[in-house]
Structure formats: C-alpha cells, structure tokens
Amino acid sequence: ETGVTQSPTHLIKTRGQQVTLRCSSQSGHNTVSWYQQALGQGPQFIFQYYREEENGRGNFPPRFSGLQFPNYSSELNVNALELDDSALYLCASSSRQGAGGEKLFFGSGTQLSVL
Amino acid sequence: DQQVKQNSPSLSVQEGRISILNCDYTNSMFDYFLWYKKYPAEGPTFLISISSIKDKNEDGRFTVFLNKSAKHLSLHIVPSQPGDSAVYFCAAILYNNNDMRFGAGTRLTVKP
C-alpha cells in the first residue's frame, strides 16, 4: 500500500512568484485535504477536494487554489506569493469526504520558503 | 481565531512515568476530538480520538479524557517511552465536517 507522497520536499521562491505543490494520495483514497503549518503553529485547513471538486475551504484567500485529477492526485497552487506564505504545506488523503479525522493520512509535507 | 489551544509548548518526563498533555477548546459545537503525533520530517499520524458523547477512550498506553463542561481534553501516556518523544497535536472537528482545527502542539521529550 503506497502512502501519501508530496513533492517537492523543499522549495524556495521570491515574493510575487507562483508555486505549485503536488500530492499523490494513498491507494484507494478519493479525497485530498491541504493544510498550511506555519512555524510554531498547528496545521490550518486550506481546502479539500473530493472527486475532483472543491469540497470545503478554510480562511484562505482566492490566490490559494487547487486541483484534483481523475487518479485523485492533487495540486495546490499559490499565486502572488507573500512572505507569510512561508510554511510547511501538508497534504492528507482519506477514503471519503468529511471523514472523521482518524481517516486522514498525511504526507511529509513541502517546506516552502518565500524570500 | 484559535479555537483549539495547547498552552504548554513543551513537556519533559522520565521514562516509565506518566505524560499528561492538555488541550482546551472554545467552540462548544465541536463534537469529535483527536490527538496526532508528529516526528521530525514526517507528517502527523493519528493516535487516538474521542467522541463528545464519551468522557474517556483508551488504547493501550494511551488514554484520552474529555471534560465537556470545562471544554478540556487531555492525553495520558502510561508508561512513557523514549520513542514517544514527538510533537503532539490536539485537534477538533464537527463530525463529517472537513475543517479540522489543530492546536499549536506540545513537544514531548521522554528521557531514558
């Protein structure tokens, strides 16, 4: 059984640039959630994708957008990067939408630094 | 708006003793609570959960207690082992809602 994989593991961008982060969900999972974890804080929910459609969104501006593909892998896109976007971005997959938390399986994350 | 709070950034205990990690929440509509454990360079992994209709849930060395009137939950680890050293996150969710709220985490160090 393949776990959740994220790429890249580390990324450095400059303010104003755009970035795309990628996530492959665990085998058999059709739902992907994205979280932002700033230094010293807990993960914050960005949004969830279920069967290729956005299924809930946290308090993040529209420049944070995503996609889910037919194979249930997902991308997180961030436009017009700001310094405060520097964080660990975590992807989590589950086997159904709105799953209880124990059904979430997290990847190791992408560490994004915005200079 | 931090609805889930872990007020202790770190905790150090001796191997074999009890570790108690605490968590407070403000939203009375949360009805499901979880603890996740995170090792460096890894994603969080689920540890144990509790529904709001219960006040205790036990799984081996791990027990979670919920006090709804105080809006407080705690995780007890007995006996603590060096391999338990990690960051522990408390999380809360409206069941079948996809927005899980996390605390800031407590770094547990278990000394041999």
Side-chain angles (χ1 to χ4, degrees):
Chain A
E1 186 178 74
T2 307
V4 179
T5 58
Q6 293 186 243
S7 63
T9 54
H10 295 84
L11 200 52
I12 299 175
K13 291 285 189 177
T14 56
R15 201 171 60 178
Q17 285 188 312
Q18 178 267 342
V19 68
T20 297
L21 310 182
R22 294 178 175 83
C23 172
S24 293
S25 59
Q26 182 159 314
S27 176
H29 287 180
N30 57 17
T31 302
V32 172
S33 303
W34 286 92
Y35 288 82
Q36 180 196 67
Q37 186 181 3
L39 191 63
Q41 297 182 23
Q44 269 195 293
F45 176 69
I46 303 175
F47 43 54
Q48 182 185 85
Y49 277 83
Y50 171 67
R51 292 186 176 179
E52 303 179 53
E53 292 193 2
E54 188 178 292
N55 179 47
R57 187 181 185 92
N59 189 26
F60 280 82
R63 60 187 185 86
F64 285 78
S65 63
L67 283 172
Q68 188 179 31
F69 300 99
N71 66 354
Y72 304 126
S73 65
S74 177
E75 288 182 353
L76 165 65
N77 299 292
V78 187
N79 293 323
L81 282 167
E82 300 177 0
L83 298 179
D84 285 348
D85 296 333
S86 296
L88 178 68
Y89 288 84
L90 294 163
C91 168
S93 72
S94 57
S95 58
R96 61 182 175 91
Q97 64 173 331
E102 71 264 35
K103 302 290 191 294
L104 290 182
F105 294 82
F106 283 86
S108 299
T110 294
Q111 185 66 53
L112 173 65
S113 298
V114 181
L115 306 178
Chain B
D1 178 20
Q2 198 173 2
Q3 298 186 26
V4 179
K5 297 182 181 179
Q6 293 176 257
N7 292 319
S8 298
S10 63
L11 175 68
S12 181
V13 300
Q14 207 67 34
E15 180 179 6
R17 306 295 290 268
I18 184 171
S19 295
I20 300 176
L21 296 94
N22 293 304
C23 177
D24 297 294
Y25 61 96
T26 57
N27 189 342
S28 59
M29 298 301 291
F30 288 137
D31 62 1
Y32 204 75
F33 304 90
L34 311 96
W35 286 92
Y36 278 82
K37 179 169 72 172
K38 187 179 186 300
Y39 292 118
E42 294 183 13
T45 56
F46 169 75
L47 190 58
I48 193 169
S49 63
I50 188 167
S51 165
S52 61
I53 62 174
K54 296 185 176 181
D55 55 18
K56 177 183 175 181
N57 188 28
E58 192 171 355
D59 184 3
R61 297 185 296 114
F62 302 92
T63 303
V64 56
F65 295 92
L66 175 62
N67 183 333
K68 285 189 66 179
S69 61
K71 295 191 180 68
H72 177 83
L73 66 157
S74 61
L75 174 68
H76 293 210
I77 306 174
V78 184
S80 301
Q81 299 174 354
D84 296 330
S85 297
V87 176
Y88 289 78
F89 291 102
C90 168
I93 194 168
L94 299 170
Y95 192 68
N96 272 342
N97 186 294
N98 45 29
D99 184 355
M100 186 161 40
R101 301 295 176 100
F102 285 83
T106 296
R107 182 176 301 278
L108 173 65
T109 302
V110 180
K111 298 179 179 178

